[in-house]
Amino acid sequence: MPFDFRRFDIYRKVPKDLTQPTYTGAIISVCCCLFILFLFLSELTGFITTEVVNELYVDDPDKDSGGKIDVSLNISLPNLHCELVGLDIQDEMGRHEVGHIDNSMKIPLNNGAGCRFEGQFSINKVPGNFHVSTHSATAQPQNPDMTHVIHKLSFGDTLQVQNVHGAFNALGGADRLTSNPLASHDYILKIVPTVYEDKSGKQRYSYQYTVANKEYVAYSHTGRIIPAIWFRYDLSPITVKYTERQQPLYRFITTICAIIGGTFTVAGILDSCIFTASEAWKKIQLGKMH
């Protein structure tokens, strides 16, 4: 007797003339298909959407930077002439630079009465400060007006990622135009290293920061001290890392199979219960008629 491979068929077929369609079964089948379609589209949306997860750890992520951090500063002083405006940089490694001019520009405002300073420079990864002042001017003004607006202050690469909402430009939009013109401003920054890794494994290094500020008129035994806009910074040892992740294909397929199988199973049980109850009710009604 030849071997019949069809014996391995666990999905045995029932002839159509032995099955009975019902309105209840049709309604349940349509609802079942719509429910499966809804869950499938929900899972498909989750599968194609990139998830951004974050973690914290102690490390210096950008070891190839040479111990430097790139800084971008954009600030307007509407009541101070450009020839008086300068940038000074100091830190605990002994750096003391007065009147930094590399990669910077000054744009006159208010018919030359004010100035907009835009600069790109680097700082060492040690506590220090950089400040906008008149210290580098040839002749010091009698009453320099340090009222200002900070348009941008950022560190490292610019991250423009929709799913990441961090304090990369915490001072952007800071308005001190109504402050005392002769007052100094201290911005105390805590800089937090930040790494963003995309799905391809490429990493970008940026820095978030928190800020506290105070405003004061400083005096010494010789009289009033020339005001300045100070940015005093320190680095946090904690690094924040954002990683793009996408649901793997095998998990998506597994979920879809579970949705289809589970929905059909539950719908079959529900239909069977309704059909059995309906048949029992018909028998009861026939018994009452007899």
Side-chain angles (χ1 to χ4, degrees):
M1 181 178 181
F3 177 74
D4 189 358
F5 186 74
R6 291 179 299 174
R7 292 181 179 180
F8 291 103
D9 185 5
I10 60 176
Y11 302 103
R12 304 256 175 147
K13 311 304 183 292
V14 179
K16 287 188 176 181
D17 55 355
L18 298 180
T19 60
Q20 177 184 350
T22 62
Y23 286 107
T24 303
I27 293 173
I28 292 177
S29 298
V30 172
C31 292
C32 178
C33 291
L34 293 176
F35 185 65
I36 290 175
L37 179 62
F38 169 73
L39 293 181
F40 172 78
L41 293 177
S42 299
E43 285 298 322
L44 181 61
T45 301
F47 174 69
I48 63 178
T49 301
T50 300
E51 179 187 12
V52 178
V53 297
N54 62 78
E55 59 180 309
L56 303 176
Y57 59 92
V58 178
D59 192 16
D60 178 12
D62 191 8
K63 296 182 176 63
D64 298 328
S65 65
K68 302 285 187 180
I69 300 175
D70 293 328
V71 184
S72 178
L73 175 63
N74 188 330
I75 183 172
S76 291
L77 297 92
N79 301 308
L80 196 64
H81 294 280
C82 280
E83 63 266 19
L84 299 175
V85 177
L87 177 70
D88 310 326
I89 307 172
Q90 298 173 274
D91 62 34
E92 292 186 359
M93 292 182 67
R95 182 181 183 183
H96 191 179
E97 185 176 347
V98 179
H100 178 90
I101 58 175
D102 294 339
N103 298 319
S104 63
M105 61 186 300
K106 300 176 185 179
I107 304 171
L109 302 175
N110 302 333
N111 297 319
C115 187
R116 179 167 178 157
F117 178 87
E118 299 180 11
Q120 307 281 338
F121 56 97
S122 63
I123 58 176
N124 295 315
K125 291 184 178 180
V126 295
N129 74 79
F130 51 91
H131 52 277
V132 177
S133 69
T134 62
H135 297 162
S136 61
T138 304
Q140 292 298 314
Q142 185 66 30
N143 296 306
D145 187 334
M146 303 307 293
T147 54
H148 61 278
V149 176
I150 301 174
H151 306 288
K152 179 183 179 182
L153 175 60
S154 62
F155 300 86
D157 294 340
T158 300
L159 293 182
Q160 295 180 340
V161 184
Q162 184 176 3
N163 296 331
V164 176
H165 303 285
F168 297 98
N169 186 24
L171 276 174
D175 187 332
R176 301 292 182 267
L177 295 179
T178 58
S179 300
N180 184 343
L182 300 177
S184 290
H185 300 265
D186 266 15
Y187 295 100
I188 314 300
L189 313 179
K190 193 70 171 181
I191 302 175
V192 182
T194 303
V195 183
Y196 189 88
E197 182 177 314
D198 59 22
K199 290 183 292 185
S200 66
K202 181 182 178 181
Q203 293 185 338
R204 285 182 285 170
Y205 303 98
S206 187
Y207 296 83
Q208 303 181 63
Y209 61 93
T210 59
V211 59
N213 67 283
K214 64 178 180 178
E215 174 188 332
Y216 59 92
V217 178
Y219 291 91
S220 69
H221 64 280
T222 59
R224 179 169 50 82
I225 298 175
I226 298 174
I229 304 169
W230 298 82
F231 301 92
R232 307 181 192 273
Y233 61 88
D234 192 7
L235 272 77
S236 169
I238 302 298
T239 294
V240 180
K241 183 177 182 181
Y242 297 97
T243 307
E244 288 186 352
R245 291 181 183 173
Q246 191 169 24
Q247 181 180 344
L249 180 61
Y250 74 87
R251 185 176 299 174
F252 172 70
I253 295 175
T254 302
T255 303
I256 295 303
C257 291
I259 288 173
I260 297 174
T263 303
F264 273 119
T265 300
V266 173
I269 294 173
L270 181 63
D271 180 61
S272 177
C273 291
I274 294 175
F275 181 75
T276 302
S278 176
E279 291 298 309
W281 176 254
K282 289 180 181 179
K283 290 181 179 179
I284 293 174
Q285 294 298 318
L286 288 175
K288 287 183 178 180
M289 293 178 62
H290 292 293

